[in-house]
Amino acid sequence: MERTTLDEIISLIKREVVPAIGCTEPVAVALCVAKAAELLGKEPEHIEVRLSSNILKNAMGVGIPGTGMIGLPIAIALGAIVGKSEYGLEVLRDVCPDAVERGRDYIAEGRIDISLDKDAPCNLHIDVAASAGDESARAIISREHTNFVYLRQGDNVILEDMGAADGDAAADDVELNLSTVYEFATTAPLDDISFILEAKELNMAAARLALDGDYGHALGSTIRNCGMKYFGDTPVEHMISYTSAACDARMGGAPIPVMSNSGSGNQGITATMPVVSFAEDINATEEQTVRALILSHLTSIYIKQSLGRLSALCGCVVASTGASAALVYLMGGGYEQICAAVKNMIANLTGMICDGAKPSCAMKISSGVSTAMMSAMLAMNGKCVTSVEGIVSDDVDATIHNLTSIGREAMVETDHLVLNIMTSK
């Protein structure tokens, strides 16, 4: 692989695999609020937030780190009070008990208005207007969770880049296919890709925190402590418990960063923890672990390029497909077996809906992890779903695009109905 292509892919991974504190959607809203407040130059007296449907859906039911509270109002209040836009997706890093109390007061005083933006130009769109007296400011994030496209301070427009349509955010990224992903993961110089071990450290720390605590539905610790007689002390149990535990921590509002993938902490966890856990169980070398993690994360990035940042398709389908490819690699399989595992995954999990970020995401992630192992085992035993079955094609990249077309296009009405159900309860 040419050095230019290597550098482009490394840059892509470093953009898409980044630390984040808390669920990405409410954190992105807090980031936009923080920027608007900074432009205003003072704590806003009133904040108006207009959100695309997918942002609203994913931000409604998740815990906000360090607060013991759920949902958008406290994220917005803290973004205004202590948020720093320079922290990016760690915008709420400085949250403390005093700030939470001030945030509660901010909400009680009715200073926040949240609404659905039915005319949002894409699935990921956050529009924040902040005001104090006669002064005002506005910030808009669109297409990516940290991508500011509009900034206004008073009457002075500082930034305006509203032209790109949904799906154009990755237009400048290197074009991937699964063969390129495999070649990069297995041949790139080790020193160039060892940075991915930070994902192992961050996400394992989140898992261990939840295994020792009580976050979300405590699925990870339940499987680890109570399910041993059913699962046994096996690699599958280890993968499921560690992965779901990290999700428990994140969705339960633990004030700890996780390594995200393509704007999602849960996707980052799912692309990381099954791989790390299995690598440890089979005594894989550090190089094998690094290459497996790169394969998992880059496969997820590749699939998300055509699916889009947010959709009605659960992100665990994407990330667990990357994990399955990595499990095959760790089992000693090559490109042919990895293609088979990807097809097996798509034959199984296509259609799993996203009904927002919330503690029960740990259960969906666990389904993805167990399916990843099953698909990898089938592939290593020469079994692959064929092109006469469902949406699977002979070509693995065509199969991936069949999946993403369903998630991006066919499930749009499903997305609308899911949001309507969520907001009408």
Side-chain angles (χ1 to χ4, degrees):
M1 184 173 288
E2 294 182 357
R3 186 70 238 184
T4 300
T5 304
L6 282 169
D7 290 340
E8 288 176 345
I9 296 176
I10 290 167
S11 177
L12 172 63
I13 297 172
K14 288 184 175 181
R15 287 199 306 275
E16 297 289 10
V17 181
V18 297
I21 296 178
C23 178
T24 319
E25 278 68 51
V27 167
V29 175
L31 173 62
C32 199
V33 170
K35 175 63 79 171
E38 289 164 3
L39 291 170
L40 189 64
K42 61 184 70 175
E43 184 176 299
E45 295 174 1
H46 186 263
I47 301 172
E48 181 179 349
V49 180
R50 301 175 69 237
L51 304 171
S52 61
S53 58
N54 285 78
I55 290 289
L56 187 60
K57 178 183 72 174
N58 281 339
M60 290 174 60
V62 67
I64 307 302
T67 70
M69 300 174 67
I70 289 174
L72 278 166
I74 189 62
I76 291 168
L78 291 173
I81 294 168
V82 296
K84 290 184 174 63
S85 65
E86 65 192 76
Y87 292 166
L89 292 179
E90 296 181 273
V91 61
L92 298 182
R93 186 192 302 171
D94 295 336
V95 168
C96 61
D98 178 64
V100 174
E101 286 306 309
R102 290 169 60 198
R104 291 178 187 273
D105 292 340
Y106 203 98
I107 296 167
E109 291 163 4
R111 296 164 69 176
I112 299 170
D113 287 327
I114 304 169
S115 62
L116 172 64
D117 186 352
K118 295 181 179 180
D119 298 320
C122 62
N123 287 339
L124 197 167
H125 195 75
I126 304 163
D127 188 340
V128 175
S131 61
D134 295 331
E135 299 177 73
S136 66
R138 186 181 178 194
I140 299 176
I141 285 175
S142 195
R143 305 188 299 275
E144 296 184 16
H145 292 84
T146 59
N147 183 46
F148 286 97
V149 298
Y150 183 88
L151 299 174
R152 176 179 59 78
Q153 185 177 48
D155 295 327
N156 182 28
V157 176
I158 300 169
L159 171 67
E160 188 167 14
D161 180 23
M162 302 287 286
D166 190 18
D168 286 350
D172 295 331
D173 288 340
V174 60
E175 290 189 13
L176 297 172
N177 55 44
L178 195 61
S179 177
T180 301
V181 169
Y182 175 76
E183 180 184 359
F184 176 86
T186 56
T187 65
L190 189 62
D191 288 345
D192 287 349
I193 58 176
S194 293
F195 64 86
I196 200 67
L197 288 174
E198 187 182 359
K200 171 185 175 180
E201 300 305 320
L202 289 181
N203 293 347
M204 181 60 83
R208 287 175 174 149
L209 177 68
L211 288 173
D212 292 335
D214 184 19
Y215 292 93
H217 295 299
L219 178 60
S221 59
T222 298
I223 292 171
R224 176 58 53 87
N225 299 321
C226 305
M228 191 66 70
K229 73 181 221 179
Y230 303 111
F231 284 94
D233 187 11
T234 65
V236 172
E237 182 275 321
H238 301 161
M239 285 190 287
I240 295 175
S241 60
Y242 275 127
T243 308
S244 56
C247 180
D248 288 333
R250 179 173 179 265
M251 295 289 94
I256 187 171
V258 301
M259 190 65 80
S260 66
N261 181 297
S262 303
S264 167
N266 280 347
Q267 286 169 199
I269 288 167
T270 309
T272 302
M273 293 311 301
V275 181
V276 168
S277 176
F278 188 70
E280 290 185 351
D281 277 338
I282 66 170
N283 296 314
T285 66
E286 182 171 278
E287 177 174 354
Q288 289 173 320
T289 302
V290 167
R291 295 195 183 280
L293 283 171
I294 287 289
L295 178 58
S296 180
H297 277 275
L298 190 56
T299 298
S300 301
I301 291 168
Y302 163 44
I303 299 173
K304 289 291 286 187
Q305 281 183 334
S306 58
L307 178 63
R309 290 280 167 177
L310 300 174
S311 76
L313 183 69
C314 177
C316 87
V317 175
V318 174
S320 57
T321 299
S324 189
L327 293 176
V328 168
Y329 168 79
L330 289 171
M331 291 173 180
Y335 181 66
E336 181 180 349
Q337 289 78 27
I338 286 170
C339 290
V342 169
K343 291 179 182 181
N344 293 342
M345 290 294 293
I346 291 172
N348 191 332
L349 289 183
T350 297
M352 182 184 287
I353 65 167
C354 172
D355 54 345
K358 59 209 175 303
S360 60
C361 285
M363 291 187 280
K364 293 189 178 186
I365 283 176
S366 296
S367 297
V369 172
S370 60
T371 303
M373 186 61 166
M374 178 177 64
S375 297
M377 290 171 60
L378 282 172
M380 291 299 293
N381 280 277
K383 302 297 183 182
C384 177
V385 175
T386 67
S387 61
V388 299
E389 302 176 65
I391 67 167
V392 172
S393 299
D394 287 326
D395 181 77
V396 68
D397 295 295
T399 302
I400 288 170
H401 288 287
N402 293 342
L403 167 73
T404 58
S405 294
I406 289 171
R408 188 182 64 250
E409 300 168 18
M411 296 178 73
V412 171
E413 287 306 314
T414 300
D415 215 19
H416 293 160
L417 180 57
V418 167
L419 181 62
N420 184 58
I421 292 170
M422 292 174 64
T423 56
S424 300
K425 291 188 293 184

